[in-house]
Amino acid sequence: MKKLVFPLLLIIGTSSFSREIPITKVILYKNGISYIERKGRVRDNEIINLSFKDEISDILKSLTIRDLDGGKVFWIDYESKKPLDKILEDFSLNPLNDNLTSLLDKIKGAELDIALGGDVLNGRLLGLRKKAILKDNFKIELDVLDIIDENGGLKSILLDDIDEIRLKEKSIEDELNRALETIFQYRKKERKNLSLIAKGNGERNIIISYITEAPVWKSSYRIVAFEEKHSLFLQGWAIVDNLSDYNWNDVSLSLVSGKPISFISDLYSPIYKKRPVIKFEEEEVQKPTISERTFAGERKKAMVGGFAAIEVHDMALEMKETQEIEIATREMGDLFEYKIDYPVSIPSNKSALIPIIEGDIKGERLSLYNEANNPKNPLCCLSIENTTNLTLDKGPITVFENEAYAGEGILDRLRPTEKAFITYGVDLGVSVSPSVNSERRNVHYVSIIQGTMYAYYKNIELKTYSLQNNTLNQKEVIIEHPLRQGWDLKEPEKEMIYEQTPSYYRFRMNLSPNGSSSLCVKEEMTYYETYLLTNITKENIEVFVNMNYISPEIKGTFEKIIKLKDKINEIQKKIASQEKRYSEIFKDQERIRENLKVLKDTPTEKKLAEEYVNKLSNQEKELEALKKEIEGLYLDKESYTNELNNIIKNINFEKNI
């Protein structure tokens, strides 16, 4: 019996109807996404419709549906669309990838009207080509249009000289217009509809959640400082934008500080794989052949490979309902959530300021001086400690003093119990004059290790900050002094440091009304100079003795080193001289031997040959003597060098000066 296949909606039943599930929860993140949760009730078998724009890929990546009362989401379907490049494959002209020259190249033979300098030229297109010309000593290539005119003449026209090209064949014009219209319609932002088909019995609760792109929510703060109070009043607001197509009516709103990883993956557009094109050669006509005979016996049966059946299982995703939290905030690893504890309503394409914090925090007004920021005056500053149980997100902060505007600053992310300085203006009531004095101290320590002498000395820098309070109020000033690599703080004592950061020492100073004060910061850095003992000279020894760098014993050792170096240098000079003499004799012998080869058997030349032979014999004796002398010199040099190295190696010396 044949199996009958019914449409999906008929299988579900005739009681299906469409319902929209309202948005009940919104979570906004700093990475530009939002988590949307819809919650509502369905009855029996229903179709739930959702509509989206460009965020459809995020929906397909994250859409989660939970039927809380035993039902099941039976199916999700949505409108799909063939990719544009696939649609345009049906057109011979493709404006998506073609420019003017490539389009013209595809309509060779078409009849054209060409507007050229006030005249109209009619002809058929033969093709396009490149023409090289020389312009301003540069070689450039221009596009040339070749046509055959109505009189049969061949003409070439520079494409840049043409004012207008009109197609005379309507079929080509129509196809080009259809292709352009197709591109335009395809790129229009249209809504994509999703239909969720829920199947079950009776009324049930259903939750639909997904992520989608959303504007980043922003923090903004106001802080009020009162003269008579030591605490500060802080008020924080979140700026939230609902630029979606849906109203947020009495939704549960949460704002999350932090940036979880998120990305866009195009799951909506169908993907086509390009397959390789393989060309097969034409089969040749088979010639008749005579097959060989087989051996006696049965023919072997061919083995056919089997295919293992693959069983596909549906995996049910079990998820618990989100646990409601009682507190307004919570830590989530590196994230921090502000959960608004009352329903929020923001219509579509509207924005809102939502209060997220309000109350007193610990802090005081100070003046903060940093020469790099302002060399003449400190900045007005609030020193605050986050005594709330909330993490304060980064954002601008407006400061009021005694109910009057005082300035603006930036609050960096601040966790509970953390402290921060917020600068918001220039304190013109306090002036600061920094001055620097530097000096280099003499060598204070000398050491000799493994043939190298180290002479240590110090650079000392004294920086003075002179402060003047020009107001009738007492001032508390924090001075930030750079903490530099390699410099050691000597004054003031480290117990006087108010705070220390990775980049600064902070010193706190009290200025009485119309009073003045100064802070002196003394720092030292140790340097050293090196001297290789193999390179020391008599002049060096005299300097070392005069500067009291070395002891009399070391002086004697240094003098012995110099004597050994002098001996080695003398031996090296002798070696060089004797090796030069050896080379000269050897070359002279080569010359003599070449001369002997060309002498003839005449009395005169025989006599000359005898003289050459005697000279060669004498030179051989001299070469032998030179060789022995050079070998002896090398042995002497090696002996003195070993003695020098042993002396240098065994010197270990240190001295405080």
Side-chain angles (χ1 to χ4, degrees), residues 23-27 35-38 251-254 322:
I23 295 175
T24 57
K25 184 176 184 179
V26 176
I27 302 177
Y35 169 85
I36 305 296
E37 187 173 282
R38 297 170 177 265
V251 301
S252 170
L253 179 63
S254 293
T322 304

Side-chain angles (χ1 to χ4, degrees), residues 449-460:
I449 303 172
Q450 295 184 349
T452 302
M453 176 175 166
Y454 299 88
Y456 293 86
Y457 63 93
K458 293 179 181 178
N459 270 0
I460 298 176

Side-chain angles (χ1 to χ4, degrees), residues 39 89 109 162 170 225 228 247 304 335 452 509 527:
K39 192 171 185 179
E89 285 181 355
I162 297 174
K170 196 170 188 311
E228 67 279 1
N247 296 326
V304 180
L335 308 180
T452 302
M509 300 186 66
Y527 296 85

Side-chain angles (χ1 to χ4, degrees), residues 581 584-586 588-592 612 614-624 626:
R581 175 62 184 158
E584 290 172 349
I585 294 173
F586 189 82
D588 191 45
Q589 284 187 325
E590 289 180 338
R591 180 184 60 81
I592 292 172
Y612 280 156
N614 290 332
K615 188 174 183 179
L616 285 173
S617 178
N618 293 331
Q619 285 179 334
E620 284 297 323
K621 293 177 182 178
E622 187 177 357
L623 286 175
E624 187 66 26
L626 284 172

Side-chain angles (χ1 to χ4, degrees), residues 303-326:
M303 296 296 294
V304 180
F307 292 91
I310 300 175
E311 186 176 357
V312 181
H313 300 276
D314 291 329
M315 183 178 291
L317 182 64
E318 298 181 357
M319 302 179 69
K320 297 181 179 180
E321 280 195 82
T322 304
Q323 184 178 357
E324 294 295 331
I325 53 177
E326 298 294 334

Side-chain angles (χ1 to χ4, degrees), residues 599-608:
L599 292 178
K600 303 202 180 197
D601 196 16
T602 64
T604 303
E605 292 185 358
K606 281 184 178 180
K607 185 178 180 181
L608 183 59

